[in-house]
């Protein structure tokens, strides 16, 4: 496991970039905006933690069949992001990550991390980045669809100051049932509250990215995976910026 007691470093954006992002954030939070406001606001270029796969805003769902190595894939991916090493042929951007594990437990996380790192042959600089940037919590039963769960996650984020939060898996971070529409709405509302809380967003400059791993329903032989196959409430159906994985 990575030591989560390290004090967050100052990760300030350049002043011009900070001002541009603040204008963009204000525009996005408006109930509506005029054509003039849209024209006058400089919108930052899209940035990616994994080029063409994981962008740096919002909440994404990574979905696939049970036992489809989703957790292993995302643990592998998070290590590459933490040290800014190309992942499966895609460029990455260094980020501070908290991997909220509610599926595997410490032994499995440790075993997988050891094997992944061994196969990567990290340089001393990369080892230092990994220790600085990657954090895990395991089997804490946070329940983000409840007020208490939202406070627990908020406290964890305040201590670590991450750029990216990975939830593994969606059904395990729910206190209620995955088919509960109100629970799904509450979860997404709580995530949104955290993302827009300036006291938590990377020194008040940039919203935290959330990515959650989820399951799909059992597919009939030969059927291709699609958005309607995501398990649980219809509120979990993938939207813009969300990716579904299949074998």
């Amino acid at each position: 496991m990575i030591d989560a007691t390290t004090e967050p470093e100052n990760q300030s954006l350049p002043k011009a970039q900070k001002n541009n992002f603040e204008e963009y954030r204000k525009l996005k939070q408006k109930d509506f905006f005029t054509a003039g406001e849209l024209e006058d606001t400089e919108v930052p270029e899209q940035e990616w933690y994994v080029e063409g796969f994981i962008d740096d805003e919002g909440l994404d769902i990574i979905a696939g069949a049970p036992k489809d190595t989703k957790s292993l894939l995302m643990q592998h991916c998070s290590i590459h992001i933490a040290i800014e090493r190309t992942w499966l042929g895609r460029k990455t951007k260094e980020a501070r990550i908290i991997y909220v594990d509610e599926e595997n437990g410490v032994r499995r996380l440790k075993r997988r991390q050891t094997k992944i790192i061994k196969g990567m042959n990290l340089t001393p600089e990369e080892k230092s980045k990994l220790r600085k940037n990657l954090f895990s919590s395991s089997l804490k039963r946070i329940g983000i669809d409840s007020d208490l769960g939202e406070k627990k996650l908020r406290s964890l984020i305040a201590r670590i100051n991450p750029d990216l939060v990975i939830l593994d898996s969606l059904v395990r971070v729910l206190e209620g049932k995955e088919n509960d529409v109100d629970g799904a709405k509450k979860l997404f509302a709580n995530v949104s509250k955290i993302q827009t809380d300036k006291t938590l967003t990377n020194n008040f400059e940039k919203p935290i990215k959330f990515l959650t791993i989820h399951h799909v329903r059992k597919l009939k032989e030969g059927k291709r995976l699609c958005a309607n196959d995501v398990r649980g409430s219809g509120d979990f159906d993938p939207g813009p910026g969300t990716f579904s994985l299949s074998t």
Side-chain angles (χ1 to χ4, degrees), residues 20 22-25 27 35-44:
N20 290 346
E22 185 61 27
E23 291 176 6
Y24 171 55
R25 186 215 294 264
L27 188 73
E37 288 174 318
L38 182 59
E39 182 180 357
D40 294 341
T41 300
E42 186 170 345
V43 177

Side-chain angles (χ1 to χ4, degrees), residues 105-172:
V106 172
R107 284 190 178 89
R108 185 175 291 177
L109 285 179
K110 165 74 173 181
R111 184 168 65 249
R112 287 175 171 175
Q113 178 175 289
T114 300
K115 288 182 178 180
I116 292 168
I117 292 174
K118 184 177 179 180
M120 292 176 69
N121 192 25
L122 302 185
T123 65
E125 182 184 0
E126 287 176 330
K127 288 179 181 178
S128 177
K129 283 184 176 182
L130 186 63
R131 289 180 174 272
K132 180 185 73 172
N133 286 332
L134 183 56
F135 302 81
S136 301
S137 72
S138 187
L139 304 181
K140 299 304 181 186
R141 300 293 180 249
I142 293 178
I144 306 172
D145 54 331
S146 68
D147 291 336
L148 178 60
E150 188 263 344
K151 289 179 181 177
K152 287 181 180 179
L153 183 59
R154 181 183 292 272
S155 174
L156 191 64
I157 288 172
R159 291 168 60 192
I160 294 173
N161 190 26
D163 304 294
L164 171 63
V165 177
I166 299 176
L167 306 175
D168 186 9
S169 64
L170 182 57
V171 66
R172 301 293 184 191

Side-chain angles (χ1 to χ4, degrees), residues 25 28-29 31 37 44 55 58-59 69 73 78 104 108 121 132 139 154 162 169 207 215 226 229 242 244:
R25 186 215 294 264
K28 286 179 65 177
Q29 290 178 341
D31 291 332
E37 288 174 318
D55 64 20
L59 184 151
T69 69
L73 183 75
S78 66
N104 302 289
R108 185 175 291 177
N121 192 25
K132 180 185 73 172
L139 304 181
R154 181 183 292 272
S169 64
H215 305 299
C226 67
D229 295 315
T242 300
S244 296

Side-chain angles (χ1 to χ4, degrees), residues 25 83 136 164 177 182 185:
R25 186 215 294 264
I83 66 174
S136 301
L164 171 63
K177 301 290 186 180
D182 290 336
K185 289 180 177 178

Side-chain angles (χ1 to χ4, degrees), residues 5 17 31 41 49-50 63 81 84 95-96 124 134 136 142 148 153 158 172 174 198 210 212-213 222 231:
T5 61
Q17 187 179 350
D31 291 332
T41 300
Y49 290 124
V50 178
I81 295 171
E84 201 167 16
R96 195 173 179 92
L134 183 56
S136 301
I142 293 178
L148 178 60
L153 183 59
R172 301 293 184 191
L174 286 169
K198 285 192 174 186
F210 275 76
T212 183
I213 299 169
R231 222 168 68 180

Side-chain angles (χ1 to χ4, degrees), residues 8-25:
E9 291 189 354
N10 190 334
Q11 300 171 312
S12 298
L13 296 169
K15 186 173 181 180
Q17 187 179 350
K18 176 180 176 180
N19 292 338
N20 290 346
F21 200 91
E22 185 61 27
E23 291 176 6
Y24 171 55
R25 186 215 294 264

